[in-house]
Amino acid sequence: MNCAVVDRFRQFGTPIVCSLIVLVSTVAAAEPVVVTKAFIDGTGPGWRSLGEADFENVNTDPDTWTWKEDGVFCKGTPVGVTRSKKKITNFEMVATWKHLKSGGNSGIFVWASEEALTGLKPNSLPPGGIEVQVLDHGYAKAYEEQNGKKPDWFTTNGDVFPVGKSNMKPFAPVAPDGRRSFPTKNLSKGIGEWNHYYIRAINGEVRLWVNGEEVSGGSNCEPNTGYLCLESEGAPIEFKGLRIRELP
């Protein structure tokens, strides 16, 4: 507190000054501290790279995925996925991605079940798992031009939602249908620009950070173990810096 202010109050007695100081301190201490930034780069103990040896094609063409030393290029056709060779339960993951075509669509599937992947035909996606959406802003623009209104059931900044028979309790804000967790901030960059995702999936809860800030997620996920999948959905996309740390 300013000394002049303190002197002014001394004429009324020190108890008032003390009370004001206590009040200010109490208000300051009561303010919640919300930490949402977490730019995790996937380095440190337990982290490892994910590459071609960690994935196997499910229902796309042999040339749909072109693996490189630092990532993978997906041509986008046919629609389908490549999955991790092993099931994963609790983990942290980082991925950097960029769309190469306006309106590009893709995603990272978390906890896709064996049932959802078995016998999956080309040009179809797993009917199970939790999707962390990877969508270009041009998709929303095309929707608005075609329908004459802005989309209200999806965003292009990192929706998280259950697919098919899967379930999840979405974090707010929630889509009108009650299934999708919409991002609290619009942080995704546009076509041709790299975006950074940090995904934390622990004990049936999925949280997503876009370009360093937490934006969406959900709890009570069913299933809460399964395969990790990268999605091919009609447009070219590039992933790099895929890294994972499995947790107990």
Side-chain angles (χ1 to χ4, degrees):
M1 183 177 287
N2 185 280
C3 291
V5 175
V6 172
D7 289 339
R8 172 77 63 178
F9 279 112
R10 279 191 179 132
Q11 62 182 301
F12 300 107
T14 55
I16 294 179
V17 176
C18 294
S19 298
L20 284 171
I21 293 173
V22 171
L23 177 60
V24 171
S25 300
T26 302
V27 171
E31 293 180 356
V33 178
V34 180
V35 179
T36 59
K37 293 190 176 183
F39 197 88
I40 308 298
D41 62 2
T43 60
W47 285 93
R48 64 181 179 86
S49 295
L50 288 172
E52 185 174 9
D54 298 289
F55 288 87
E56 64 179 46
N57 185 27
V58 176
N59 63 332
T60 56
D61 292 341
D63 66 344
T64 297
W65 305 91
T66 302
W67 289 91
K68 306 175 182 180
E69 185 177 348
D70 63 343
V72 61
F73 167 78
C74 174
K75 71 175 186 178
T77 56
V79 171
V81 296
T82 181
R83 70 161 175 84
S84 60
K85 290 184 176 179
K86 59 177 289 188
K87 291 181 179 180
I88 304 171
T89 302
N90 295 331
F91 67 94
E92 296 174 278
M93 176 185 179
V94 293
T96 307
W97 58 267
K98 68 176 176 180
H99 278 293
L100 304 176
K101 182 180 179 181
S102 180
N105 194 354
S106 184
I108 299 173
F109 274 74
V110 175
W111 297 327
S113 66
E114 183 106 35
E115 178 186 6
L117 294 166
T118 300
L120 194 64
K121 295 181 180 180
N123 289 308
S124 57
L125 295 172
I130 308 299
E131 182 172 347
V132 178
Q133 192 159 68
V134 176
L135 195 59
D136 177 63
H137 297 316
Y139 195 96
K141 182 179 179 181
Y143 178 92
E144 185 175 353
E145 290 175 351
Q146 182 177 350
N147 295 278
K149 62 177 182 178
K150 293 184 180 297
D152 63 354
W153 60 274
F154 73 89
T155 83
T156 58
N157 288 274
D159 295 2
V160 177
F161 54 93
V163 177
K165 298 179 180 179
S166 300
N167 293 297
M168 183 189 81
K169 182 179 180 181
F171 295 155
V174 179
D177 67 0
R179 287 178 63 81
R180 288 184 178 229
S181 171
F182 281 172
T184 54
K185 291 185 177 181
N186 296 336
L187 299 174
S188 289
K189 300 175 183 178
I191 182 173
E193 297 185 82
W194 289 105
N195 289 278
H196 181 275
Y197 272 13
Y198 165 52
I199 302 168
R200 191 172 71 194
I202 303 174
N203 297 332
E205 179 182 271
V206 177
R207 292 178 178 268
L208 171 65
W209 280 252
V210 175
N211 294 321
E213 292 193 51
E214 184 179 3
V215 297
S216 54
S219 59
N220 299 341
C221 294
E222 296 177 356
N224 55 21
T225 188
Y227 296 100
L228 181 69
C229 300
L230 301 179
E231 179 184 339
S232 169
E233 197 171 356
I237 185 172
E238 189 170 354
F239 292 93
K240 70 176 182 179
L242 295 166
R243 296 183 64 81
I244 193 168
R245 176 164 67 175
E246 295 185 57
L247 303 169

